[in-house]
């Protein structure tokens, strides 16, 4: 099958898994202005931004020859659950012949999950499938370890942009790795490359750490969130995201009785502020803010797609957390507008605020 | 010769230049319409400053703020380039040391800044909605045929209250027309509009924030007495309008530059008043290296590239 998928975060992982199973992978291009223009043109105006961008990247993938699109479903009262329906109808209307394979949680509808799995499995043996899954999981874990390192080093690099370039290079090296040994080598190589970045010497008491929380797509995909991690890094701040692929997989794939992931604890931490699941990542967002605060972070940047209801709800609850725990939070709406100047002003002012809090003076 | 620090606030509507002395007193201030030409307006401002007090001062530091801060910072050789929120807060704390809440309404954007112990602890900024900014008033003054300068005083003469929908300028306009048909006077309508603007501002920016006195109201709109009284009515408290209410950003930039110079002991990077005669050529080109096709802005000073931005991948920005 000529397969493709939504572009989000370190995409080399999905690519690798599908390649391992012998599928022909059509890489969707990194979301660009063209992607956004396409997505906005063909999506309902009031749909949220991720739906539009993904719409655009599907169209670009189809242009490159994709026949099947693999994506995840949604659960709870969030529009993400309807994405596939909306996308496939619009694509059909526009005359594109493309099939969707949607993975919903296997604990809800195992039959359907199994059916999808069989499609992906194709002619491979179950052993091969298990092996590929393990391999990709290993790769995911290792990439996340390196990415977390990147997000710290970037704050202190002497030559602007060097860490980001190395990180892109590391992903390319991983893309070439096809077995356990090569993945280990890629990991070692990545560590070595990162250790060579020349850094400013900053005293531990002067270091600032900021967490990024919010809806998964705008948090994970730098090309549409003004490269928030890079931006914060270039302003001298260490960054950690609320979502990493391996964490997401752990939380969503492990059955309940053995699901001891950090995300479970995080959800519990936010329960005081939002006891029920309202869809999207609202509950995670609040829990993550509490979690970042307890872990001594200086501030949190909250990203939400414009018009995202779950995140609007969390936005209105955030002032209470700030009051209780004293952690400053900056909420930014992400949409197609390209005028980044005013968001840059907000981010800069926010960093002044947390620096001031850190050193007890306006900087 | 007096030692001074300069501050330049380049906004979308106005450009302000101030010179302050070591104790933060304003020695000179200039308010210029930007008219979409920030480079020219700053050049003119510098020339005027130079001809008026150029012989009596030594510039020890310079700061820029406002939406054009980077570009102008490069042009004048700024020591400090700061966002307008920090700059506004700095200036207000200097003038009203115990301030807790700052309302700032300019032509194109509005801000609320919450201060605790002379430190910014929270802020919000509105840029995409006109219903809480000066342009809203500007537009309505034109509709009613009353100069914006007379707007505030006229509101104070209103006899009755009339409520105008203020959530969105479009609704405000049709509501305003409806209320005119009901026979309300222009003064009453203007009072209603002022209250609508304040309501919109508080709802939009003040939501979820701890708004406590003392309140300071600044920015160009603070000149409007109608808005001031609408604010006082809405929050049921006195509102302080600082002496230099419409140039607070520039004062803040100058104060920040002073702090920075004293702290670091560095020499100023100010290019001198002749910067006004330098040939600054901003140009743009489309980078075609990837599908983003970014419009990159390039600024040249005497044929040498001094700044670049606008590229999503930072390739050009980092190339300097």
């Amino acid at each position: 099958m000529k397969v493709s998928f939504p572009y989000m975060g370190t995409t080399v992982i999905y690519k690798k898994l599908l390649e391992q199973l012998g599928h022909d992978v059509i890489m969707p291009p990194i979301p660009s202005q063209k992607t956004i223009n396409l997505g906005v043109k063909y999506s309902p105006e009031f749909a949220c931004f991720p739906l539009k961008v993904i719409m655009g990247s599907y169209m670009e993938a189809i242009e490159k020859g994709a026949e099947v699109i693999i994506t995840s479903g949604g659960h709870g009262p969030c529009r993400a659950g309807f994405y596939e329906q909306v996308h496939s109808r619009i694509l059909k209307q526009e005359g594109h012949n493309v099939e969707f394979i949607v993975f919903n949680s296997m604990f809800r509808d195992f039959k359907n999950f199994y059916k999808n799995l069989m499609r992906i499995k194709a002619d491979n043996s179950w052993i091969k499938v298990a092996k590929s899954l393990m391999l990709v999981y290993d790769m995911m874990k290792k990439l996340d370890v390196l990415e977390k390192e990147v997000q710290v080093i970037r704050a202190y690099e002497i030559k602007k942009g060097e860490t980001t370039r190395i990180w892109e290079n590391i992903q390319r090296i991983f893309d070439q790795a096809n077995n356990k040994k090569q993945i280990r080598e890629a990991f070692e190589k990545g560590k070595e490359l990162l250790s060579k970045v020349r850094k400013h010497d900053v005293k531990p008491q002067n270091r600032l750490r900021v967490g990024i929380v919010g809806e998964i797509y705008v948090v994970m995909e730098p090309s549409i969130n003004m490269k928030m991690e890079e931006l914060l890094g270039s302003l001298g701040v260490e960054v950690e995201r609320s979502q990493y692929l391996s964490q997401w997989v752990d939380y969503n794939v492990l059955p309940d009785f053995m699901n001891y992931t950090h995300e479970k604890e995080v959800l519990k931490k936010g329960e005081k502020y939002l006891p029920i699941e309202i869809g999207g990542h609202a509950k995670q967002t609040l829990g993550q803010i509490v979690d970042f605060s307890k872990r001594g972070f200086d501030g949190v940047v909250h990203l939400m797609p414009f018009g995202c209801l779950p995140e609007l709800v969390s936005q209105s609850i955030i002032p209470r957390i700030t009051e209780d725990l004293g952690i400053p939070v900056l909420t930014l709406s992400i949409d197609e507008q390209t005028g980044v100047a005013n968001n840059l002003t907000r981010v800069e002012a926010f960093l002044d605020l947390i620096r001031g809090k850190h050193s007890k003076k306006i900087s | 010769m007096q030692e001074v620090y300069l501050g330049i606030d380049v906004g979308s509507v106005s450009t302000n230049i101030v010179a302050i002395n070591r104790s933060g007193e304003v020695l000179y201030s200039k308010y210029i319409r930007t008219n979409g030409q920030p480079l020219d307006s700053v050049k003119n401002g510098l020339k005027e400053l130079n001809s008026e007090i150029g012989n009596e001062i030594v510039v020890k530091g310079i700061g820029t703020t406002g939406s054009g801060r980077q570009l102008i910072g490069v042009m004048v050789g700024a020591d400090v380039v700061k966002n307008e929120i920090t700059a506004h807060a700095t200036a207000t704390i200097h003038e009203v040391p115990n301030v807790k809440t700052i309302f700032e309404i300019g032509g194109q954007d509005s801000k609320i800044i919450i201060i605790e112990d002379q430190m910014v602890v929270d802020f919000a900024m509105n840029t995409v909605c006109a219903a809480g900014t000066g342009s809203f008033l500007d537009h309505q003054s034109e509709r009613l045929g009353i100069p914006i300068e007379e707007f505030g005083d006229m509101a104070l003469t209103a006899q009755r209250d009339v409520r105008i929908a203020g959530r969105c300028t479009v609704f405000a306009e049709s509501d305003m027309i409806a209320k005119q048909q009901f026979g309300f006077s222009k003064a009453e309508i203007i009072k209603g509009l002022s209250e609508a603007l304040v309501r919109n501002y508080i709802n939009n920016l003040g939501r979820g924030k701890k708004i406590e006195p003392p309140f300071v109201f600044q920015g160009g709109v603070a000149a409007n007495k109608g808005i001031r009284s609408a604010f006082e009515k809405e929050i049921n408290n006195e509102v302080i309008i600082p002496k230099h209410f419409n140039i607070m950003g520039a004062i803040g930039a100058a104060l920040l530059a002073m702090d920075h110079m004293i702290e670091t002991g560095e020499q100023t990077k100010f290019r001198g008043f002749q910067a006004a005669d330098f040939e600054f050529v901003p140009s743009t080109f489309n980078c075609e290296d990837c599908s983003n096709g970014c419009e990159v802005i390039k600024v040249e000073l005497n044929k040498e590239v001094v700044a670049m931005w606008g590229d999503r991948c930072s390739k050009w920005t980092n190339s300097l």
Side-chain angles (χ1 to χ4, degrees):
Chain A
M1 301 191 280
K2 285 191 168 174
V3 295
S4 193
F5 40 77
Y7 195 100
M8 180 177 91
T10 30
T11 40
V12 14
I13 289 156
Y14 333 119
K15 176 170 174 257
K16 186 89 341 182
L17 176 63
L18 293 164
E19 272 177 3
Q20 286 277 321
L21 296 174
H23 297 294
D24 211 349
V25 179
I26 308 287
M27 272 302 269
I30 301 173
S32 63
Q33 198 53 48
K34 187 185 156 212
T35 319
I36 295 172
N37 291 348
L38 266 175
V40 168
K41 183 169 172 193
Y42 291 106
S43 305
E45 195 206 332
F46 284 100
C48 59
F49 193 49
L51 184 140
K52 296 180 182 176
V53 181
I54 294 172
M55 182 86 236
S57 49
Y58 285 164
M59 289 186 150
E60 286 184 313
I62 291 167
E63 212 173 277
K64 286 173 74 181
E67 291 161 353
V68 175
I69 286 165
I70 300 173
T71 179
S72 66
H75 55 92
C78 165
R79 291 188 271 202
F82 300 112
Y83 273 23
E84 170 263 330
Q85 280 295 315
V86 177
H87 283 140
S88 66
R89 282 182 198 197
I90 293 172
L91 287 171
K92 197 176 270 170
Q93 236 171 45
E94 295 304 320
H96 300 296
N97 192 15
V98 61
E99 189 196 342
F100 274 83
I101 297 180
V102 186
F103 279 94
N104 278 300
S105 169
M106 64 171 138
F107 306 112
R108 220 174 36 160
D109 181 359
F110 189 74
K111 229 173 104 189
N112 201 9
F113 182 83
Y114 184 76
K115 207 178 86 198
N116 286 338
L117 195 62
M118 290 307 282
R119 290 288 315 276
I120 307 271
K121 176 181 168 274
D123 300 331
N124 298 290
S125 69
W126 283 109
I127 293 173
K128 170 76 182 164
V129 173
K131 263 192 164 169
S132 309
L133 282 172
M134 291 307 284
L135 189 78
V136 170
Y137 182 71
D138 182 38
M139 188 161 147
M140 195 165 9
K141 278 267 181 209
K142 291 201 157 75
L143 271 168
D144 282 351
V145 169
L146 292 177
E147 186 168 23
K148 285 188 180 176
E149 212 166 301
V150 164
Q151 290 166 328
V152 172
I153 296 175
R154 200 185 269 133
Y156 311 113
E157 65 186 7
I158 289 177
K159 191 157 179 283
K160 285 265 170 267
E162 187 180 1
T163 322
T164 306
R165 267 198 302 283
I166 289 177
W167 172 230
E168 280 160 9
N169 194 11
I170 290 173
Q171 293 180 59
R172 274 195 295 273
I173 296 171
F174 269 86
D175 194 19
Q176 303 300 320
N178 285 309
N179 57 44
K180 232 178 147 145
K181 182 166 165 271
Q182 286 169 347
I183 286 177
R184 201 172 48 237
E185 280 166 8
F187 183 62
E188 294 305 326
K189 180 79 189 159
K191 284 206 120 170
E192 188 199 317
L193 285 172
L194 284 176
S195 70
K196 282 190 186 148
V197 178
R198 286 188 307 129
K199 297 187 286 276
H200 288 290
D201 195 22
V202 178
K203 289 195 194 98
Q205 67 266 28
N206 292 336
R207 296 186 172 197
L208 292 177
R209 288 193 299 166
V210 167
I212 299 184
V213 303
E215 189 273 335
I216 186 164
Y217 190 73
V218 288
V219 167
M220 295 273 289
E221 184 41 49
S223 64
I224 60 157
N225 67 16
M226 305 183 296
K227 304 199 169 186
M228 191 46 69
E229 290 163 35
E230 274 181 68
L231 175 62
L232 290 168
S234 71
L235 294 167
V237 177
E238 292 179 25
V239 177
E240 189 178 315
R241 286 200 310 259
S242 57
Q243 314 265 3
Y244 291 88
L245 265 189
S246 60
Q247 274 166 237
W248 188 86
V249 167
D250 285 349
Y251 173 70
N252 283 283
V253 171
L254 294 175
D256 233 1
F257 67 89
M258 56 184 289
N259 199 335
Y260 304 120
T261 51
H262 186 60
E263 193 147 347
K264 280 239 150 164
E265 288 167 41
V266 163
L267 283 171
K268 239 178 263 153
K269 285 182 184 171
E271 217 121 77
K272 184 180 156 197
Y273 299 98
L274 185 61
I276 55 161
E277 177 71 60
I278 61 160
H281 289 86
K283 223 176 146 184
Q284 273 97 333
T285 294
L286 296 172
Q288 290 286 359
I289 295 173
V290 176
D291 185 57
F292 278 132
S293 164
K294 297 254 151 93
R295 286 167 55 205
F297 274 63
D298 298 285
V300 172
V301 172
H302 171 216
L303 300 176
M304 60 174 196
F306 183 69
C308 171
L309 193 59
E311 294 303 332
L312 271 171
V313 173
S314 37
Q315 185 192 7
S316 63
I317 300 174
I318 287 170
R320 268 183 56 207
I321 304 182
T322 303
E323 201 176 322
D324 286 358
L325 304 172
I327 186 159
V329 181
L330 174 73
T331 297
L332 295 175
S333 279
I334 308 290
D335 202 11
E336 59 168 309
Q337 71 134 334
T338 49
V340 294
N342 49 54
N343 277 337
L344 185 66
T345 299
R346 289 183 178 95
V347 171
E348 280 181 18
F350 183 68
L351 294 184
D352 282 347
L353 184 162
I354 63 175
R355 273 207 183 95
K357 222 174 154 171
H358 206 87
S359 64
K360 296 261 170 271
K361 98 180 231 307
I362 291 195
S363 43
Chain B
M1 293 293 251
Q2 192 160 15
E3 295 187 346
V4 301
Y5 296 88
L6 302 184
I8 306 181
D9 180 354
V10 192
S12 50
V13 175
S14 68
T15 297
N16 304 306
I17 300 183
V18 300
I20 61 168
N21 63 15
R22 260 310 259 274
S23 40
E25 285 160 36
V26 177
L27 303 176
Y28 172 93
S29 77
K30 188 86 203 156
Y31 177 100
I32 310 153
R33 284 248 157 201
T34 307
N35 287 333
Q37 299 284 327
L39 279 171
D40 290 341
S41 60
V42 171
K43 278 183 180 178
N44 292 338
L46 282 178
K47 269 185 200 149
E48 282 179 39
L49 172 65
N50 192 23
S51 66
E52 278 178 45
I53 54 169
N55 297 329
E56 306 150 31
I57 57 168
V58 188
V59 176
K60 300 296 277 183
I62 180 165
T64 59
T65 187
S67 49
R69 60 186 178 279
Q70 272 104 353
L71 175 69
I72 299 303
V74 170
M75 178 181 127
V76 299
D79 301 302
V80 171
V81 175
K82 264 292 167 197
N83 63 83
E84 45 284 30
I85 293 162
T86 305
H88 274 290
T90 307
T92 317
I93 291 163
H94 182 79
E95 282 204 28
V96 188
N98 62 341
V99 59
K100 283 236 173 100
T101 308
I102 303 172
F103 304 132
E104 203 270 339
I105 306 185
Q108 290 299 318
D109 64 16
S110 49
K111 310 174 191 76
I112 190 166
I113 308 173
I114 311 292
I115 313 269
E116 248 170 52
D117 301 328
Q118 307 210 326
M119 246 169 46
V120 178
V121 291
D122 201 359
F123 65 85
M125 177 176 152
N126 182 12
T127 48
V128 286
C129 170
T133 66
S135 58
F136 172 74
L137 291 179
D138 241 349
H139 182 63
Q140 300 313 332
S141 83
E142 220 163 277
R143 273 191 50 81
L144 291 171
I146 292 169
I148 188 78
E149 293 79 15
E150 293 166 25
F151 230 59
D153 296 295
M154 201 154 171
L156 297 182
T157 65
Q159 303 288 318
R160 290 166 297 181
D161 280 332
V162 54
R163 190 183 166 94
I164 307 261
R167 194 176 132 73
C168 180
T169 48
V170 179
F171 296 130
E173 207 160 288
S174 40
D175 205 16
M176 197 172 102
I177 294 165
K179 297 285 154 57
Q180 273 174 304
Q181 318 290 25
F182 294 161
F184 287 96
S185 72
K186 276 190 183 176
E188 284 153 0
I189 301 263
I190 291 172
K191 183 168 175 240
L193 275 174
S194 306
E195 283 165 3
L197 182 142
V198 169
R199 215 164 47 233
N200 180 291
Y201 173 92
I202 298 273
N203 283 344
N204 251 333
L205 296 174
R207 192 174 40 191
K209 305 232 176 306
K210 230 162 76 189
I211 301 181
E212 288 176 339
F215 298 99
V216 171
F217 176 27
Q218 61 200 43
V221 175
N224 190 314
K225 290 187 194 128
I227 301 283
R228 178 193 183 167
S229 93
F231 258 120
E232 292 186 328
K233 197 172 146 198
E234 179 76 26
I235 54 175
N236 214 355
N237 231 305
E238 189 212 359
V239 168
I240 304 164
I241 296 186
K243 189 171 151 210
H244 301 289
F245 66 89
N246 62 349
I247 51 166
M248 296 296 270
I251 297 176
L255 288 167
L256 285 163
M258 179 163 82
D259 271 359
H260 177 79
M261 300 322 281
I262 292 172
E263 206 166 280
T264 58
E266 285 168 12
Q267 286 290 315
T268 180
K269 295 201 276 288
F270 181 48
R271 294 188 203 268
F273 287 108
Q274 59 274 24
D277 300 322
F278 285 163
E279 201 190 344
F280 274 86
V281 188
S283 58
T284 65
F285 63 93
N286 282 322
C287 170
E288 300 291 351
D289 292 357
C290 79
S291 58
N292 276 325
C294 301
E295 189 181 12
V296 184
I297 296 161
K298 183 167 85 173
V299 184
E300 282 167 294
L301 162 62
N302 299 337
K303 302 255 156 58
E304 188 201 344
V305 180
V306 287
M308 279 206 210
W309 59 79
D311 45 342
R312 284 160 75 108
C313 69
S314 308
K315 182 176 118 185
W316 299 103
T317 311
N318 289 337
S319 71
L320 290 175

